[in-house]
Amino acid sequence: MSHSPMGAERQAGRPDLVSIPAMPDRLVAAGVKRVGAPRIRQLVATDPDFPSTVYEHGRIRLWHWPDVLAYFRVRVTRQGERTDLDKKRRPAE
């Protein structure tokens, strides 16, 4: 956060980026149920609907926060459902 008088104006024009470690707290602050960082990493790796990164360098990955927030707001959770069994039941294509 900038302490200069122009800092707020410059921040307004920048994209709102977020990393995986910051996502759980930002989700709670936005009124969405908390999802832990390990689960978010799993969703990033397995869910094709998860937003794509806007910046990657080494191990640093950043996402556009409004896209991530929209994803978690419409995401349907199925607690306790064995989704791994669906792959075994479907016939091979």
Side-chain angles (χ1 to χ4, degrees), residues 76-91:
V76 177
T77 60
R78 300 179 307 247
Q79 289 184 312
E81 185 177 327
R82 295 280 309 267
T83 57
D84 60 325
L85 297 177
D86 289 340
K87 294 174 188 170
K88 293 175 185 173
R89 290 183 195 150
R90 291 185 203 150

Side-chain angles (χ1 to χ4, degrees), residues 16 18 21-35 40 65 68-69 72-73:
D16 190 4
V18 65
M23 286 181 195
D25 292 334
R26 295 215 40 199
L27 287 170
V28 171
V32 179
K33 184 179 176 186
R34 182 181 186 86
V35 178
I40 294 171
W65 171 243
V68 172
L69 183 58
F72 279 104
R73 283 198 169 140

Side-chain angles (χ1 to χ4, degrees), residues 16-20 23 27 39-56 61-75:
D16 190 4
L17 303 178
V18 65
S19 64
I20 290 176
M23 286 181 195
L27 287 170
R39 177 64 177 140
I40 294 171
R41 284 184 189 91
Q42 184 181 34
L43 290 169
V44 167
T46 61
D47 190 347
D49 293 331
F50 199 89
S52 58
T53 58
V54 293
Y55 177 80
E56 290 188 45
R61 296 180 294 173
L62 298 175
W63 288 263
H64 191 240
W65 171 243
D67 294 345
V68 172
L69 183 58
Y71 168 82
F72 279 104
R73 283 198 169 140
V74 299
R75 183 173 160 265

